[in-house]
Amino acid sequence: MSQPGPGDSFGSARLVQRRMAIIAFAALAILLLWATAKILAPYITPIILAGILATFTHPMYRRLRGRLHGRKGLAALIMLLGITLVLVIPAFLLTLMLINQATGLLRLLETTNFQKIVASLNVSEKLSWIHRFAPGFDASLLQPGPLMVRVLREIPGFIAAHGTDFVTGFAGMVVGFFMMLIATYFFYTEGEWIAEELMLLSPLPDQYDREIFAQFRGVVDATFRGQILTALAQGAVTGVGLAVAGVPAPILWAAVAALASLIPMVGAAGVWVPATIYLFAAASMRGGSYGWAIFMLLWGILAISTVDNLIRPWAMKAGMNMQAIVLFFAILGGISAFGFVGILIGPLVFALLVTVVGIYKTFLPPVDSPEIVPLEVPLESGPIAD
């Protein structure tokens, strides 16, 4: 047996040194990535929204940049101005409409004998027929008078106790909006350079990187399309219910419901719930039937609230290679895990997973490929046979 020479020892030392350098570099990279993630964590939502917005509007930005002879900074500023007008003006008008509606409802309650209206509901008498099917049912537990009076009495105290939180939340939304605009400007002007750098860092061939980018763009487009179609559908369904129930200006409130459906935690319920209260109060004042109020309540729960879960997966499915049921759970799980931004992140994660699995399959040789050598263990030799 030959003894290792000096060259072999030097090569082994260089190999160990190289491995130690790789380990140290990996540890440093992980540490820097962790620190970067911690720094950006408070602003991750505006950054994600900026990336989504820049991806969706990038074709318009490129056309505008071409007309401005390549002045990308000016084109980005014009795009941000247009985005601000498109987002802020409808939100401002919607807020004024909702405040006006809430003020009108409060005036209606102030100018009427609210206690008399609540007492006239007489839920116990109207639900007495349930005793024939459920003798142990106590309809007095559903009497709305004590509950509604207690809620109205606690509203001023609730506003006083949480007024600071409301102001802080509103200020946070304004700051987040401006952070999103700043990030969107950067994505406009440097987005192509970022995509090229990611392709250089990626170990995959360029065709697979382009496939992943195309999948991301498709998910963004499908998400925006799903949002818009869902808002239009909810506005239309809300308008039909309001018109049938006899609520004044149903077309106007249908438009408000369509805009409100784009706002998380508000939705079309910001229109049909006050409309239902209005119908109940109007029926009590006139001494008439509560049929239309009950219709509006059931229409809001069964039709308006359900159309969101039906239209959105159907509208988004056209831009994704994903089953509707999978997309449905991806949207719900994304919202549960990431909040409102999860409407995009959930389908995006699933869509990228499908893309990565498809790329992985292309690297696998066929089952009958000669590269796959079956493992055959002879049974007539070896220690087991002996």
Side-chain angles (χ1 to χ4, degrees), residues 44-215:
I44 191 65
T45 298
I47 292 174
I48 292 176
L49 291 177
I52 295 170
L53 193 59
T55 301
F56 182 71
T57 58
H58 193 260
M60 291 184 287
Y61 165 74
R62 283 191 303 177
R63 288 194 294 268
L64 181 60
R65 185 182 61 186
R67 293 191 175 186
L68 294 176
H69 307 289
R71 300 167 67 182
K72 59 182 182 180
L74 179 60
L77 289 176
I78 295 175
M79 288 293 299
L80 293 183
L81 178 60
I83 291 171
T84 302
L85 294 177
V86 169
L87 294 179
V88 171
I89 292 180
F92 179 73
L93 294 177
L94 176 61
T95 303
L96 291 181
M97 289 181 180
L98 292 177
I99 292 175
N100 183 39
Q101 187 175 13
T103 303
L105 180 60
L106 290 176
R107 288 177 181 174
L108 176 65
L109 295 177
E110 289 176 356
T111 56
T112 58
N113 191 341
F114 182 71
Q115 295 285 351
K116 183 178 179 180
I117 292 175
V118 172
S120 65
L121 295 177
N122 199 2
V123 175
S124 300
E125 181 179 349
K126 290 180 173 58
L127 297 180
S128 59
W129 57 272
I130 299 181
H131 286 283
R132 290 180 292 178
F133 304 96
F137 176 74
D138 186 7
S140 63
L141 297 176
L142 300 179
Q143 193 67 22
L147 177 61
M148 296 179 70
V149 171
R150 185 168 65 251
V151 169
L152 290 177
R153 287 177 179 174
E154 292 179 357
I155 287 177
F158 178 83
I159 295 176
H162 297 83
T164 305
D165 296 336
F166 289 146
V167 174
T168 303
F170 179 77
M173 289 178 58
V174 173
V175 173
F177 180 76
F178 281 103
M179 294 292 295
M180 183 192 72
L181 292 181
I182 293 173
T184 305
Y185 177 87
F186 178 76
F187 284 135
Y188 277 146
T189 56
E190 306 295 339
E192 296 174 357
W193 172 79
I194 293 174
E196 293 175 358
E197 290 296 317
L198 291 177
M199 292 179 65
L200 289 176
L201 294 175
S202 173
L204 296 174
D206 290 347
Q207 58 177 348
Y208 297 125
D209 292 331
R210 295 190 185 94
E211 183 177 350
I212 292 176
F213 289 151
Q215 188 67 45

Side-chain angles (χ1 to χ4, degrees), residues 101 239 241-251 253 271 275-276 278-279 296:
Q101 187 175 13
L242 295 176
V244 171
V247 176
I251 297 178
W253 294 118
V271 174
T276 303
Y278 162 79
L279 291 173
M296 194 66 223

Side-chain angles (χ1 to χ4, degrees), residues 234-235 238 256-263 266-274 304-305:
Q234 281 197 315
T238 303
V256 174
L259 293 175
S261 64
L262 300 174
I263 301 177
V266 178
V271 174
W272 68 263
V273 169
I304 301 175
S305 300

